[in-house]
Amino acid sequence: MKILVAVKRVVDYNVKVRAKADGSGVETTNVKMSMNPFDEIAVEEAIRLQEAGTAKEIVAISLGIAACQDTIRTALAMGADRGILVETEVELQPLAVAKLLQAVVDQEKPDLVILGKQAIDDDANQTGQMLAALLGWPQGTFASKVEVGAGTVNVTREVDGGLETVALKLPAVVTTDLRLNEPRFVKLPNIMKAKKKPLAVFKPADLGVDVAPRLITLKVQEPPKRQAGIKVDSVATLVDKLHNEAHAI
Amino acid sequence: MSILVIAEHDNAVLKAATLNTITAATQLGSDIAVLVAGHGCGAVAEAAAQVAGVKKVLLADAPHYAYQLAENMAALVVSLAGGYSHILAPSTAGGKNTLPRVAALLDVAQISDVIKVESADTFVRPIYAGNVLATVQSKDSVKVMTVRGTAFPAAVAVGGSASIEAAAPAADAGISRFVGQQLTQSDRPELTAARVIVSGGRGMGNGDNFKLLEDVADKMGAAVGASRAAVDAGFVPNDYQVGQTGKVVAPELYVAVGISGAIQHLAGMKDSKVIVAINKDEEAPIFQVADYGLVADLFTAIPELSKELDKLKAAG
Ligand SMILES: Cc1cc2nc3c(=O)[nH]c(=O)nc-3n(C[C@H](O)[C@H](O)[C@H](O)COP(=O)(O)OP(=O)(O)OC[C@H]3O[C@@H](n4cnc5c(N)ncnc54)[C@H](O)[C@@H]3O)c2cc1C
């Protein structure tokens, strides 16, 4: 089978993000950027399916500014076979990303599309579901286990009460949760090799997709800071404070 | 303004998150319909009809809604969507699974995790693990959004008298099938509805040690939660995870035990009313948000806490 994996370039999860003073967005100059952690899990899952002999080809796709090529190269260094960048300076919202992915799916005809369940910048948790909707494909979101069978894929999902397993007809969309796998570290020689792997670049217009944002961000601000309280010196004091001061127990 | 709220339920019980979503709906308008889609879920529709503020309950009862698969749910919601200005669902695993699919089929944006309604088209939502809040305006004809339960009080569950109408089921998409589930069994309150939560992190060391937390949790009528590290290590099931990518909670009291306080964890609990941190590292970031911090080894502090709670109870 052929797998398409979507990877997003985001502010690294270790960065403490700040709002710009004028409220127009978040500070991203001189900030470390990385592949969205859930997308690393998506790439890893695709590679494992390839190593198991289930998948033949893995195509990694990113959408956004030219620097997203770095994110694609990381996926290629992990083990993806080739890359696609849909390049635009326009702020891409989930619906636009889903439409662009749909257009690429129409060309590439993968059997499975794997995406992260959410990007840690906009925290939207939408793109996979939207893509599945546009394609009319089934979706296995928040996956903690993916088992490919003949014409089907069983996806075990992390839900509010525990785990749920669904059987989906292929082709299908899967979005990853944290327990699906532990992504491998990229080895240096593979970074060199990744530079030679093919990477095609398209513009949204080439794919005939209108990517104009639907939501306008009016302002971005930091929430009120929680003040640190006091340290107590014993469990007895803690319980006393919780009972008599905070009335919490 | 006409608002459709998608109910969260398990065919037997209307889940509390629906009540918070209904409150968000009341801030948009008074013409509120609740969709109960499931199988053999008449009791849920009855419960929804009692909720204050609800005008109408739409009941779609069919075998292919039994597990609320997103493919079938989205098709149903889209078939009913005409005439509604807003479609809301709670930000639960179910809401997050279905609603983006609905939005894409309607060719509109979806707004995730709304924490404030500014006006009929302007909403506030957290981004970057809640480090910043974005105020967004939607130009779409229909506003499709998930609502963060902790940001809105629960609507009163009784006193209403909405009509219940049968909604025609859409066809079974036939592309997905429920296979099975492994739900965590517990007599403790549900995490997102608990008044008190005791959470353990990597510092707990192993799953067995969580018994220490369960003991104090039971003495406080609390739910038990966990950090990602504790879930990843297999100490506790995935549904215990609190945080940016787990559950968002805001109880009266949150006790973090052996949790360092990574930004991703804080994202899920920093709106708790009172926060207690028990950690042996006095530099742990969790102390920066804690109202009461105790620098101690949890393996001595938690058994002591258990005894002190007994004393408190004995003292009445
Ligand atoms: C994409 C992504 C999503 C994430 N989502 C989440 C999320 O939703 N929720 C979440 O929680 N995390 C999440 N994380 C992980 C997060 O970054 C941290 O790694 C995690 O929260 C750490 O868990 P912890 O505090 O239990 O472990 P650690 O950071 O290892 O902290 C353990 C703490 O226990 C203390 N300790 C150890 N032994 C004892 C003892 N005997 N007595 C007292 N104290 C002791 C230590 O001093 C330390 O402070 C996410 C990370 C990523 C990359």
Side-chain angles (χ1 to χ4, degrees), chain A residues 217-246:
Chain A
T217 300
L218 301 179
K219 72 174 177 232
V220 162
Q221 63 193 151
E222 289 174 24
K225 270 227 155 44
R226 203 181 166 106
Q227 297 300 321
I230 57 162
K231 291 246 170 72
V232 293
D233 57 6
S234 72
V235 173
T237 318
L238 175 65
V239 170
D240 176 62
K241 295 265 186 206
L242 286 178
H243 185 61
N244 295 313
E245 191 177 272

Side-chain angles (χ1 to χ4, degrees), chain A:
Chain A
M1 68 174 358
K2 179 167 165 181
I3 302 179
L4 183 70
V5 187
V7 294
K8 185 176 185 183
R9 178 177 179 268
V10 297
V11 173
D12 187 83
Y13 81 98
N14 273 312
V15 174
K16 170 101 176 65
V17 171
R18 301 219 160 278
K20 283 187 194 160
D22 66 359
S24 64
V26 301
E27 204 50 76
T28 50
T29 32
N30 295 324
V31 164
K32 184 180 178 210
M33 305 297 287
S34 302
M35 186 189 295
N36 179 42
F38 287 100
D39 303 346
E40 282 182 27
I41 297 172
V43 176
E44 176 66 34
E45 194 63 17
I47 297 168
R48 289 188 188 188
L49 286 167
Q50 193 177 46
E51 287 170 348
T54 309
K56 264 217 179 80
E57 192 188 21
I58 303 168
V59 182
I61 178 167
S62 192
L63 311 97
I65 60 170
C68 296
Q69 292 216 7
D70 299 345
T71 314
I72 297 173
R73 293 288 171 203
T74 305
L76 296 175
M78 285 175 75
D81 298 301
R82 60 188 171 89
I84 297 173
L85 170 65
V86 180
E87 191 183 331
T88 175
E89 296 283 327
V90 177
E91 176 216 328
L92 291 178
Q93 294 179 351
L95 183 62
V97 174
K99 288 182 178 181
L100 292 168
L101 288 172
Q102 179 194 16
V104 171
V105 166
D106 286 344
Q107 290 180 0
E108 293 283 339
K109 306 210 175 345
D111 305 282
L112 193 62
V113 183
I114 313 182
L115 312 85
K117 78 164 179 180
Q118 91 192 53
I120 59 165
D121 49 5
D122 63 15
D123 281 333
N125 195 332
Q126 298 174 8
T127 305
Q129 296 89 313
M130 287 184 155
L131 174 63
L134 297 175
L135 292 165
W137 290 9
Q139 65 189 50
T141 53
F142 327 146
S144 71
K145 195 169 170 196
V146 174
E147 295 162 289
V148 179
T152 63
V153 57
N154 275 24
V155 179
T156 300
R157 311 176 50 234
E158 295 199 356
V159 294
D160 290 339
L163 297 171
E164 173 190 281
T165 304
V166 290
L168 312 176
K169 279 194 184 156
L170 290 172
V173 172
V174 167
T175 76
T176 62
D177 216 319
L178 295 168
R179 262 63 64 176
L180 183 57
N181 60 51
E182 234 179 281
R184 66 197 59 196
F185 289 106
V186 172
K187 296 196 196 82
L188 199 57
N190 291 347
I191 296 177
M192 304 311 291
K193 268 191 242 160
K195 290 193 176 134
K196 299 205 185 78
K197 291 186 179 175
L199 196 167
V201 180
F202 298 101
K203 301 275 181 204
D206 302 334
L207 299 166
V209 175
D210 171 12
V211 295
R214 300 295 188 86
L215 298 178
I216 306 162
T217 300
L218 301 179
K219 72 174 177 232
V220 162
Q221 63 193 151
E222 289 174 24
K225 270 227 155 44
R226 203 181 166 106
Q227 297 300 321
I230 57 162
K231 291 246 170 72
V232 293
D233 57 6
S234 72
V235 173
T237 318
L238 175 65
V239 170
D240 176 62
K241 295 265 186 206
L242 286 178
H243 185 61
N244 295 313
E245 191 177 272
H247 307 295
I249 54 172

Side-chain angles (χ1 to χ4, degrees), chain A residues 13 37-38 120 178, chain B residues 200-204 226-230 241-246 257-265 278-281 284 296-299:
Chain A
Y13 81 98
F38 287 100
I120 59 165
L178 295 168
Chain B
R202 199 195 308 271
M204 295 305 297
S227 70
R228 173 192 174 178
Q241 183 181 315
V242 171
Q244 177 190 14
T245 62
V257 184
I259 291 177
S260 62
I263 193 104
Q264 292 84 6
H265 189 77
I278 301 177
N279 196 302
K280 68 178 178 187
D281 172 12
D297 190 304
L298 72 91
F299 294 106

